[in-house]
Amino acid sequence: MDAICIKDLKKDLKRSMDDSRFEHTLGVMYTSAALAMRHGCDLEKAMLAGLMHDCAKCMPNAKKLKIAEKNGLEITSLERKNPFMLHAKVGALLAKKKYDIDDEEVLGAIRWHTTGRPDMTLLEKIVYVADYIEPKRDKAPNLPLVRRLAFEDLDEALFRILSDTLDYLGDSPEDVDATTKETYDFYRERLQK
Ligand code: FE
Ligand code: FE
């Protein structure tokens, strides 16, 4: 993946996103790059995945649903109720079909960036964590801690994000994605928590 390609994609995304989403996108791209340097991941893939992770976020929810249905993506009842949750699945699809990205690792990082999944690849972890800690984020609990952990122990950072996310959603368990819970359980076991 060469630099020109990133540049063209950036231009295209800027047009399809509002300003704050585009700023967030750049934040995730560069934070993914920094984490890739720290943890020995492919830099170009990390930047590409970070850049594209929210490529389907700004389309109307009805369109997300329509694309998902048309392409036979599995839609959970939670996603049908909250179609914005589909932006990861639909984003991976768009990245492939519209933007001609065929790197399965990159597509996986886009696909799993909202829920995580058990036994994630390094690239998937990087984009998941970068999405949470990029510099424009300011609302999540424990950000200073998670930002430091991300550069010390990626799995610990990942686990912390999962557990804070579940705590945050704890008041409305019906809104918790089953995959997020599975991912949390997997890493709790792996890290012997
Ligand atoms: Fe997202
Ligand atoms: Fe994002």
Side-chain angles (χ1 to χ4, degrees), residues 2-9:
D2 57 34
I4 292 168
C5 181
I6 290 255
K7 204 174 142 199
D8 290 346
L9 289 170

Side-chain angles (χ1 to χ4, degrees), residues 65-137:
L65 265 173
K66 211 173 132 194
I67 293 179
E69 276 166 358
K70 213 178 125 197
N71 289 275
L73 300 183
E74 190 209 328
I75 305 171
T76 66
S77 53
L78 190 62
E79 287 165 339
R80 205 167 277 285
K81 217 174 89 191
N82 308 289
F84 73 90
M85 286 179 163
L86 281 169
H87 80 272
K89 280 179 196 173
V90 173
L93 188 89
L94 279 194
K96 188 175 182 137
K97 297 212 163 159
K98 176 176 171 193
Y99 296 101
D100 291 324
I101 294 167
D102 51 17
D103 186 310
E104 290 299 327
E105 281 184 77
V106 171
L107 296 175
I110 299 169
R111 165 68 183 86
W112 299 107
H113 85 267
T114 51
T115 60
R117 65 161 169 162
D119 207 11
M120 294 162 85
T121 66
L122 177 58
L123 186 64
E124 286 165 5
K125 290 179 197 172
I126 283 176
V127 173
Y128 182 88
V129 171
D131 191 28
Y132 194 86
I133 67 167
E134 63 94 1
K136 292 277 173 195
R137 290 273 193 216

